[in-house]
Amino acid sequence: EVQLVESGGGLVQPGGSLRLSCATSGFTFDDYAMHWVRQAPGKGLEWVSSINWNSDHITYADSVKGRFTISRDNAKTSLFLQMNSLRAEDTALYYCVLDNASYLSRIFDYWGQGTLVTVSS
Amino acid sequence: DIAMTQTPLSLPVSPGEPASISCRSSQSLFNSDDGNTYLDWYLQRPGQSPQLLIYRLSSRASGVPDRFSGSGSGTDFTLKISRVEAEDVGIYYCMQRIDFPSVTFGQGTKLEIK
């Protein structure tokens, strides 16, 4: 069974940093691309960032480019999102998402339960 | 960015009745190089994470009942549920992925049982 378990969310002041993690199991991690998708409270879905199986293809939404860094550790079957210079508009539930391919097909096959990031003073 | 517009935003349906959700994109989602249309559908049940229903216009994801079907072309798309069941309650999102690297979601359609 595919499991994606996010952690690292919390309350942070504007301008602060957080590092999200996604621990995975139930599939061969380095066979698949991974993504982060977020959902502001009571709002819709917004793609944040993507990384292919071997980390040589990484993409970001314009809204986070230059502030967020996606990475993965295939040996530890984990996905990460380093978030710097956080803004109030980054407040959201952040989902770790499994692609259905090693490249960035962007078919979001499985979703974690999410970790909540709140940016507020 | 390609804008995605869904209608209606709210959809009350009686059990056993059909339901239809429309999605319109600001640009064609058809790729003439490979013949595919890059439009997917997701369902977010209350209190749950989204799940993939339909990918590439009309292909059902694993485990999705055949009462769900996707259709359309170019910029106009439809998700149909042939007979609504209680477990179909939630918010339905269309999503385009012909653009790269961005994908964009529609604003969501909330299906509820009458």
Side-chain angles (χ1 to χ4, degrees), chain B residues 48-100:
Chain B
Q48 295 188 19
S49 304
Q51 66 175 93
L52 177 66
L53 287 178
I54 303 283
Y55 62 97
R56 215 182 300 129
L57 182 65
S58 58
S59 296
R60 275 188 301 276
S62 176
V64 174
D66 61 8
R67 64 177 182 276
F68 290 92
S69 64
S71 64
S73 64
T75 61
D76 289 286
F77 311 98
T78 303
L79 176 71
K80 292 182 179 177
I81 309 172
S82 59
R83 295 173 305 279
V84 169
E85 298 185 5
E87 66 177 18
D88 301 336
V89 164
I91 301 175
Y92 291 79
Y93 295 94
C94 60
M95 187 197 85
Q96 70 78 21
R97 54 186 173 91
I98 196 169
D99 198 10
F100 198 90

Side-chain angles (χ1 to χ4, degrees), chain A residues 82-93:
Chain A
Q82 177 67 44
M83 304 187 297
N84 299 331
S85 304
L86 283 161
R87 306 166 180 167
E89 55 265 34
D90 296 318
T91 294
L93 187 64

Side-chain angles (χ1 to χ4, degrees), chain A residues 23-34:
Chain A
T24 76
S25 61
F27 64 100
T28 304
F29 184 71
D30 55 9
D31 278 352
Y32 296 94
M34 298 291 297

Side-chain angles (χ1 to χ4, degrees), chain A residues 19-73:
Chain A
R19 179 176 168 86
L20 305 185
S21 299
C22 174
T24 76
S25 61
F27 64 100
T28 304
F29 184 71
D30 55 9
D31 278 352
Y32 296 94
M34 298 291 297
H35 313 270
W36 290 98
V37 176
R38 67 186 181 184
Q39 186 170 34
K43 302 296 184 183
L45 301 167
E46 180 189 16
W47 167 74
V48 174
S49 183
S50 301
I51 186 168
N52 76 329
W53 71 280
N54 67 353
S55 306
D56 70 358
H57 195 181
I58 288 174
T59 58
Y60 298 98
D62 287 344
S63 57
V64 307
K65 198 174 296 182
R67 300 187 298 122
F68 290 11
T69 302
I70 191 172
S71 62
R72 63 190 293 160
D73 185 333

Side-chain angles (χ1 to χ4, degrees), chain B residues 2 25-31 37 73-75 77 96 98-99:
Chain B
I2 297 175
S25 58
S26 60
Q27 298 176 36
S28 175
L29 304 187
F30 177 72
N31 185 323
T37 298
S73 64
T75 61
F77 311 98
Q96 70 78 21
I98 196 169
D99 198 10

